[in-house]
Amino acid sequence: MNTAATTTTDDHADSHDHEHHDPRLAHHFDSHQQQFDTGKLGIWLFLVTEVLFFSGLFGFYAVYRSLHPEVFLYASQFLDTVLGAANTVVLLFSSLTMAWGVRCAQLGQTRGLMVCLVVTLACAAIFLGVKSFEYTEKAHHGLLWAGMYHSPEHHDAAAADGAAGAGDHAHDEAAAAGDHGDDELFEKTKHTLSYMTTVLWVVIVISGIALGLLFKNPNKKTLATVAGCVLVSAAGMVIGAYSSIGYHHFGHAEKPTDEEILMAETVPAEYAAQKEKVPEPKLAGTFFSVYFCMTGLHAIHIIGGMIAISWLIVRTAHGAFTTYYFGAVDFVGLYWHLVDLIWIYLFPLLYLIN
Amino acid sequence: MQMKLFIPELLANAEAGFWFPPQSSTVAENVDSVYFFILWVCTFFFVLIVGLMLLFMIKYRYRPGVEAVKTNTHNLTLELSWSVIPTLLTVVMFWVGFTSYLDMRTPPAASYEISVVAKKWVWAFKYPNGWIESELHIPKGENVTLTMASDDVLHSLWIPAFRTKMDVVPGRYTQQWFNATQAGTFPLMCAEYCGQKHSEMITNVVVHETRGDFDKWLQNASDIHKNKTPVEAGEYFYKSRGCIQCHSLDGVPKNGPSFKGLFDSERKFTDGTSRIADANYIRQSILEPQSQIVTGFRPIMPTFKGQLTDEDITAIIAFIKAQK
Amino acid sequence: MATVVDSSNPKSDFPIQYRELNYLNCSKGWKSWFFTLDHKRIGIMYLIGVTCAFFLGGLFAVLLRTELLSPARILLSADGYNQMFTLHGAIMTFLVIIPGVPAAIGNIILPVMLGAKDVAFPRMNLGSFYLWMFGAAFFLAALALGGLDTGWTFYTPYSITTSTAVITALLGVFILGFSSIFTGLNFIVTIHTMRPPGMTWFKMPLFLWALYATALIQILATPVLGITGLLLVVERAFHIGIFDPALGGDPVLFQHFFWFYSHPAVYVMILPAMGVVSEVIAVHSRKHIFGYRFIAYSSIAIAIFGFLVWGHHMFVSGQSKVVAVVFSAITFSVSIPSAIKVFNWLTTMYKGSIRFTTAMCYALAFLFIFSIGGLTGLFLATLATDIHLHDTYFVVAHFHYVMMGSSLVGLFAAVHHWWPKITGKMFSEFWGRIACLGVFLGFNLTFFPQFLLGTRGMPRRYYTYLPEFQNLHILSTCGAYLLGLSSALMAATLIYSVYRGKKAPANPWGGASLEWQCSSPPPANNFDHPPLAGDPYIMESVVYNEEIGGYVPVECQGAKKGSVTASGDKEA
């Protein structure tokens, strides 16, 4: 600023920029390389903190699994491996498109970048759609965290004499009807989906407005792009949820929702025999506590990623990225890969315990 | 001289030392000697550091015209020596602390077992014959092991005169043991923050001179229904089982309703129903406190199922009945 | 905010190019502060915030000590007392000491010391400040919504069952955690990528090493606190049964996770203060720091060992004997790097020319207090004695000696050392030293009796106590009053200087690191071109100039007098 005072007579407000004419280079950096390196180190450190954040949860997982292995063995059978696997594939694919997008950005292919980002966003939304179905299904069966957990065994008992005894508990009634409750589940999933879509709308619109404010003049193009992002997200979630319902409906048509029968056939014989003796461990709900905490936190990170990707899409639409300025894409990409990687760990740890 | 005048004033217990309460258990002497060993090492280093600091402050203070003298900016031998010597000292400290710790934490094979239940904000010591007392009575010169459990939150049982302390954790059992070397009465307190009356969770350890004295005491104490009228026995339970923490006798409600005028009055419950407070009602409130919550109170009373016999409850009912 | 320099009063009629511009007067209006990306302005806002929080926490402390004058009730009910000590602890830890030196002083000084124009991510820096404000707001909200009575440690299951505003406070902690993470991240990246030409890792001022080590702990430990706090929130709100023994959870697991953060956090508090003392002692003794590498490495060693010793908070919590023994052994290893630093500082003073400026007085007080604080840690690391001393006033005294007596006195030293640089004004050395003496005496009077209380059997967090402890409590309370008054005097002296202080020269103390090379206060950009950096501890490279009233580079002085020889100055 001394220079500003001694060499120019301009208004000092301009002095920030008077040395650098490139708006893509922040005033306190000397070169694009320095700016990129700084960002890169920053995002890696941020990822380290993210890993540690999750590592707290993995720590809990390790402690409880080593203390109560039978709980994990028992309860993980209620998770649908096929849906989990499908989500894994979806996320892996989104990682691929994200990496491709980074490459496109490096090469300056704006169109390719745009396509990749939109596909990544859609994949993230599909993941959330499937997840919303899974959550709804768990809630439907009372498989919630420890404080809200309803034993499925209790369910079955209720279902068995539910026909005779008047279900004094509304939930038991639902369970009694649960054998043919696919329609109800379907309805519930739609509810969940509409909640999630509403939340997504709110989140994306608010963040869109916030980001719009960061731009000097939020214009029609920005708003249209934000709306597009919301549309893609909503569509992805609907696709994800409806295909899970479809899978659930057709995949289980012959064997109605009684998951235990299904599992009795798929789990090893010795475990099935063991299960006879120890029907349900005392702390089965703890597994679902861990399940909801871990996947829930992961889902929040997916939503965060979707916001970041939407922001990239908006900036891409404005042509912000060039061959020498693509740091943001690279950094969001790294974040996205990490979120992916965490799922790669979560999937076997929660779904594939047998 | 000045210090000598000052110190006794600071000391409440004449038997106690400047630092510690009297040594009243077998491990206390050990702990104190470890403490004083570290204290002397620390004093040496403290005097060294502050002495050098004062010396330099005086000797090398700024004087006009005198510049700082350029000295070596590092000296490996010197720096290594003040890294290695403290390291060796800490190894010694660790070792003496470690060996005494093992003694303190390994309960001896043969010992007198007392189980402890801590709840907000009262201790309950249960003797082998099933007697429960809110003070800890032990014989001198005998190993005593406490097996501790908590009904609600974390507590910590600390007997400063014995130099032992152990947290009482809900959902698991913890243990501590000691062997008293001195007859007398010593404070026993909760050291882990446990809420409103944490600081009133203090009781006494009474060390009996001989095992005979102790047995006699236990015999007497546990014969309550023979020695006392039901009302007196009820009052005893009222005080020893912690009722007193929440139920007053003067009509002022605390965490729970007052016992004054309770008997035969009409109680209104949070679920809208009401009932006359007869003997059955009181019995049910003691055994299943959550089944009927009187309007205006929180459901915080723990159950006493299995902790009070029918005879005990009858005594308590008689006591409540007496609170007109 | 009122820190506008007279000679360049923005209201003056001088055309802008004739005014001496600095970061304080280069723009005006509240927007230029609240939306500033300038690290120095953000630092000042932090400093103001931290000061307010310090006096709020201090007020709580004074009320607590007043209550403890007698075992009977004086001012507060038992519940009021419990809430007061909880908020005192939480505010002092999360709002004052943790952001004190790194976020407030570090923010202002770190980039200038590096010869950089700003920190690596200025927007994130501002965001981190607003997170701090937001977190503080949550704390105040917790105060309004029924208080908080869990102790700042939030131990389960008490924190699950109490009816006070635990969730609000935990969300505050969570948010403050992210503020701290972002600050740390910013500092690490800035130190890695924005050092000026010539400043190799081992030519960095030791304050930067300390901030670097601090930042490492901040980003590695704080996320664990974040997730732990979040899980406790979820536990309270939804009963997930992870910490709640009623649902099969393990309350001791919470302690492990809590201390995994909170023990390293102790070093977040003390390391920057150690960095400050390294600077202050060298500059005010006019000596090159002794054993630079040992001090630098010991900062890193403390950061690393700090992660391995959390279990020493749990010797009586029911963890297994083997675990306790291992943690005890590792705990001793932390004491060594601290000892190394103390001896190196002492040797730095040897044959120096010691100026008893206010900053140096605070640094000497730090040495005295930290020696006691550090040495009493040995009693708590030793298994046998810790069993007796755990959760007593001995622990209270020990950690106040380290956190208050060392970290905050370090902060005071830093504030006085860099005050001329930050505000461009000199404060009254006389009143500064009086305040320092008061802080020193008041502090020791407050906390030394507490060691005795602890060994004699006074547990911490007690609203009432056995009558034999009253004398010592009265002594302690008198100390607290003196400490409070002296702190107020210190603040008054500094604030007075902003309005009436003499204009500060660029280098009033004779420091050789880069921040003393730009004007006081620095221009908004700090340096137009990255300066060349040499050894930051060659005090002979600057000499006193009477005309300016401060130190100038030896070349400039030489041009006038022509007789001073620069010794060992490799600066280009």
Side-chain angles (χ1 to χ4, degrees), chain C residues 10-28:
Chain C
K11 285 180 194 150
S12 73
D13 297 328
F14 276 111
I16 192 142
Q17 65 270 28
Y18 297 117
R19 279 189 243 144
E20 192 192 321
L21 276 178
N22 58 50
Y23 78 101
L24 293 168
N25 64 7
C26 66
S27 55
K28 56 191 172 183

Side-chain angles (χ1 to χ4, degrees), chain B residues 12 19 60 73 165 167 190 193, chain C residues 149 291 316 354 390 455 462 468:
Chain B
W19 291 99
Y60 304 117
T73 58
K165 180 186 290 135
D167 280 7
C190 176
Y193 175 68
Chain C
D149 72 340
V316 302
I354 299 169
H390 181 82
T455 54
Y462 260 34
E468 66 242 41

Side-chain angles (χ1 to χ4, degrees), chain C residues 207-364:
Chain C
F207 183 53
L208 295 185
W209 270 103
L211 285 180
Y212 186 80
T214 308
L216 272 182
I217 304 174
Q218 282 177 312
I219 65 162
L220 293 180
T222 318
V224 179
L225 176 77
I227 191 68
T228 311
L230 214 52
L231 281 172
L232 187 50
V233 168
V234 177
E235 176 75 87
R236 244 188 101 89
F238 301 111
H239 307 291
I240 55 172
I242 280 180
F243 298 129
D244 189 353
L247 293 168
D250 186 352
V252 179
L253 195 60
F254 175 82
Q255 298 179 25
H256 277 289
F257 275 82
F258 180 81
W259 288 114
F260 180 82
Y261 163 75
S262 291
H263 194 76
V266 171
Y267 301 108
V268 170
M269 304 177 203
I270 190 68
L271 272 172
M274 289 170 157
V276 170
V277 170
S278 304
E279 297 297 320
V280 171
I281 288 192
V283 170
H284 297 266
S285 303
R286 314 281 317 126
K287 279 282 302 279
H288 192 289
I289 192 87
F290 183 83
Y292 175 94
R293 277 182 189 244
F294 266 68
I295 297 183
Y297 284 135
S298 65
S299 290
I300 301 296
I302 288 175
I304 293 169
F305 286 135
F307 278 99
L308 307 174
V309 300
W310 76 89
H312 69 224
H313 293 269
M314 301 162 64
F315 285 160
V316 302
S317 71
Q319 67 184 2
S320 79
K321 274 183 281 188
V322 182
V323 174
V325 168
V326 171
F327 276 123
S328 167
I330 307 173
T331 300
F332 279 109
S333 65
V334 187
S335 63
I336 306 303
S338 312
I340 292 173
K341 281 177 190 274
V342 170
F343 286 116
N344 279 346
W345 292 327
L346 278 179
T347 319
T348 302
M349 287 164 66
Y350 174 68
K351 291 198 173 174
S353 167
I354 299 169
R355 270 84 164 159
F356 294 107
T357 53
T358 311
M360 185 65 178
C361 291
Y362 276 113
L364 294 170

Side-chain angles (χ1 to χ4, degrees), chain C residues 113 170 194 197 201 228 353 368 441-442 454 458 464 483-484 486 521 552 558:
Chain C
M113 250 184 173
L170 278 170
M194 300 178 74
W201 280 94
T228 311
S353 167
F368 181 95
L441 293 178
M458 169 84 202
T464 173
L483 184 54
S486 313
V552 293

Side-chain angles (χ1 to χ4, degrees), chain A residues 76-92 123-139 141 182 185 189 237-252 257 259 262-263 291 295 298 343-344 346-348 350-352:
Chain A
S76 77
Q77 60 177 314
F78 295 107
L79 301 185
D80 196 323
T81 316
V82 176
L83 289 180
N87 255 351
T88 313
V89 172
V90 168
L91 271 197
L92 279 176
C123 285
I126 291 174
F127 177 92
L128 280 189
V130 175
K131 207 82 222 135
S132 66
F133 170 76
E134 285 191 78
Y135 278 7
T136 315
E137 194 217 347
K138 299 285 166 304
H141 292 292
D182 267 9
L185 185 59
T189 310
M237 278 175 29
V238 170
I239 292 171
Y242 277 70
S243 27
S244 333
I245 291 171
Y247 157 75
H248 188 78
H249 194 68
F250 295 112
H252 296 213
T257 49
E259 303 253 332
L262 175 73
M263 290 318 293
Y291 168 79
T295 56
H298 179 257
W343 178 257
I344 302 286
L346 287 183
F347 175 57
L350 293 170
Y351 287 74
L352 301 179

Side-chain angles (χ1 to χ4, degrees), chain B residues 193 195-200, chain C residues 63-64 66-85 393 458-466 473:
Chain B
Y193 175 68
Q196 192 191 31
K197 293 191 180 152
H198 168 52
S199 59
E200 288 168 41
Chain C
L63 290 177
L64 286 172
T66 306
E67 178 55 48
L68 287 170
L69 275 173
S70 143
R73 175 179 174 147
I74 293 181
L75 287 174
L76 303 163
S77 66
D79 283 327
Y81 177 85
N82 291 344
Q83 299 199 0
M84 211 52 91
F85 78 66
Y393 263 67
M458 169 84 202
R460 67 192 285 203
R461 296 173 172 173
Y462 260 34
Y463 168 65
T464 173
Y465 49 83
L466 300 174
H473 271 300

